Amino acid sequence: MMEQDTGGDEMAYVVGLLVLLVGLLASIALHEVGHMVPAKRFGVRVSQYMVGFGPTLWSRTKGETEYGLKAIPLGGYVRLVGMYPPADAVGATPGRGRFAGLVDAAREASAEEIRPGEEHRAFYRLSTPKKVVVMLGGPMMNLLIAIVLVGIVFVGIGTSGAPTTTVGVVGTCLLPADAPADQECTASDPQVPAVLAGLQVGDTILSWGGVPIESWAEIQAAIAATPGTDIPVVVERDGAEVVLTVSPVTVDRPVRDEDGAVVLNADGSAQLAPQRYVGFSPTSGLERQPVGSVLPAVGDAVWQTGAIVVTLPARLVDVVQATLGQEERDTSSVVGVVGVGRFAGEIAEAPGLGLGERVGSMLGLLASLNIALFVFNLIPLLPLDGGHVAGALWEGAKRQVARWRGLARPAPADVARMMPVAYGVFLLLAVVGLVLIYADIAAPVTL
């Protein structure tokens, strides 16, 4: 048995986390650029552009905007002057109670940012189409990032295709065919022939039993057709040819059809048949896809992400139950920042993956995050971008109805009245984030 290079694995894991962090920060930064650029084009004064939350680590003022980086890299913001119309613009009077205080404070803080003589540069004075463009600029930037990343993966790198002659996974021990998928090996379980022969992840099989090998199908055929034990197998390892001696065993394994699906018996159990078995599987080659496949793939991912958001409450119940040990956590479970970081680390240290596969998998993970940011920010609730879009559309609808009826132009939409909802949504998101962090530690999902 060879010892694992745990130090190298740990370093690869850390590199994966760093790559994810840099990619996430870049996505957040570009999201905010998507808001800032159209706002400035429409004349709105942008006082701050910040990536992250919490204490400021670095900032620099250029023109009328302060650009900076904050300590907690879990979001960002651009401060658009005059987000909420002042009280006199909407005919509001000071209210009573805690919620009314939140609304009044939001109006006052927004009004204080407007410099004398620059009332026309306040965000609330924009037309409805311009408000929608500014607020959708961020999510649309995330969608554009996802399209670019998926395009790089599909067209430039390729997606997993046909199996190759290179070893991708080497088994550990022989288990019964009906053993649960999560059953672990014990010291009493016999090792698979691949381990006993010294076969390693990354080996490329050149010949089996003296017969040259050019495809995975030929390897499968050679294993089944070559009788006996002590079969010579030549592999390429680190640029040199290595001769191994493999002794396959005969075990009961599920029968598969031409499409690779398991053939079932009448009672629903897997049909078994004796097969020659070595205990390894191949890597998959990368096949480049046509440009036309990119947008449908992104559209499908957006649809699936939307379905996850719609069913999020039920999914969170499942996460809590899995955390409490009441059920197994499904591999399709929703995850938080810790879970996403775990995925990145596992991609970076996964054995048998080539550089192209690692890069493609990491870019795919970042594309998924950007699609999630796109979909999530469209939820029509403050403080999400969709909440501001909903307020702008409501304002536009009121103005259009007034125009049709020949009435005076109505006051701007009093979006500040939704501040109690915004605080409630923010608190709910914080709780959900903490639950997912705990679940990702207590009952992690692995790739």
Side-chain angles (χ1 to χ4, degrees):
M1 293 290 290
M2 296 186 62
E3 294 184 0
Q4 287 187 313
D5 182 7
T6 56
D9 290 345
E10 291 176 357
M11 179 59 69
Y13 199 98
V14 172
V15 169
L17 292 177
L18 291 177
V19 170
L20 175 68
L21 179 60
V22 171
L24 183 58
L25 284 175
S27 300
I28 293 171
L30 290 173
H31 174 100
E32 301 306 332
V33 168
H35 290 309
M36 180 179 68
V37 171
K40 287 193 171 188
R41 293 277 294 181
F42 296 148
V44 176
R45 184 166 70 87
V46 181
S47 60
Q48 281 188 318
Y49 168 93
M50 292 290 171
V51 176
F53 295 110
T56 301
L57 301 178
W58 170 89
S59 71
R60 176 175 297 175
T61 300
K62 184 177 181 181
E64 59 185 12
T65 305
E66 178 190 8
Y67 300 86
L69 182 66
K70 291 183 173 288
I72 305 175
L74 296 178
Y77 66 91
V78 287
R79 188 177 298 279
L80 308 180
V81 169
M83 281 293 294
Y84 307 118
D88 57 356
V90 295
T93 57
R96 297 180 179 180
R98 180 172 298 178
F99 288 163
L102 293 176
V103 174
D104 293 339
R107 291 199 191 103
E108 293 173 4
S110 179
E112 289 174 356
E113 293 181 331
I114 304 175
R115 296 171 179 172
E118 291 190 351
E119 289 80 5
H120 63 288
R121 300 189 63 192
F123 174 81
Y124 80 88
R125 288 181 173 270
L126 292 180
S127 65
T128 293
K130 289 182 177 180
K131 286 181 179 178
V132 171
V133 168
V134 171
M135 299 318 300
L136 286 183
M140 291 305 296
M141 181 64 79
N142 291 124
L143 181 61
L144 178 60
I145 293 171
I147 292 173
V148 171
L149 293 177
V150 171
I152 292 173
V153 174
F154 275 41
V155 181
I157 298 176
T159 59
S160 295
T164 70
T165 57
T166 299
V167 177
V169 177
V170 176
T172 304
C173 67
L174 284 171
L175 294 173
D178 57 353
D182 59 350
Q183 181 171 326
E184 297 182 357
C185 295
T186 64
S188 61
D189 293 318
Q191 293 179 320
V192 297
V195 171
L196 296 175
L199 198 64
Q200 297 180 11
V201 171
D203 287 349
T204 298
I205 297 177
L206 303 179
S207 69
W208 191 282
V211 179
I213 293 296
E214 295 184 358
S215 69
W216 173 248
E218 291 181 357
I219 295 176
Q220 291 178 305
I223 293 174
T226 307
T229 59
D230 297 334
I231 299 170
V233 176
V234 180
V235 302
E236 181 181 338
R237 180 183 299 168
D238 298 329
E241 291 188 4
V242 179
V243 180
L244 305 175
T245 301
V246 180
S247 297
V249 294
T250 300
V251 295
D252 288 335
R253 283 292 178 264
V255 177
R256 297 182 181 273
D257 59 21
E258 294 180 355
D259 297 327
V262 176
V263 178
L264 302 179
N265 294 313
D267 60 359
S269 62
Q271 183 176 334
L272 304 178
Q275 300 177 18
R276 297 272 282 177
Y277 180 76
V278 178
F280 72 96
S281 57
T283 60
S284 295
L286 296 177
E287 296 181 358
R288 294 182 178 179
Q289 306 299 319
V291 175
S293 65
V294 174
L295 290 182
V298 173
D300 182 63
V302 169
W303 178 263
Q304 293 183 19
T305 304
I308 291 174
V309 171
V310 171
T311 59
L312 188 58
R315 290 175 177 269
L316 288 174
V317 171
D318 292 338
V319 169
V320 172
Q321 291 178 339
T323 304
L324 297 176
Q326 298 177 359
E327 63 180 54
E328 292 292 330
R329 192 172 181 190
D330 191 82
T331 54
S332 62
S333 171
V334 61
V335 298
V337 292
V338 173
V340 174
R342 187 188 301 276
F343 292 164
E346 290 178 356
I347 291 172
E349 69 172 5
L353 290 184
L355 178 61
E357 292 172 304
R358 294 181 196 275
V359 173
S361 297
M362 191 65 71
L363 293 181
L365 180 60
L366 288 172
S368 299
L369 286 175
N370 276 278
I371 290 174
L373 288 172
F374 167 73
V375 173
F376 197 73
N377 272 288
L378 295 184
I379 297 175
L381 293 173
L382 291 179
L384 302 173
D385 297 331
H388 292 284
V389 171
L393 293 176
W394 171 248
E395 178 179 282
K398 289 197 306 179
R399 290 175 178 176
Q400 188 62 44
V401 170
R403 187 179 298 113
W404 287 338
R405 298 177 63 183
L407 302 176
R409 182 184 178 90
D414 193 6
V415 184
R417 295 177 60 185
M418 298 301 295
M419 285 307 297
V421 174
Y423 281 107
V425 172
F426 180 82
L427 179 61
L428 178 62
L429 293 178
V431 171
V432 170
L434 291 175
V435 169
L436 291 178
I437 288 174
Y438 179 76
D440 290 341
I441 296 174
V445 177
T446 58
L447 293 177

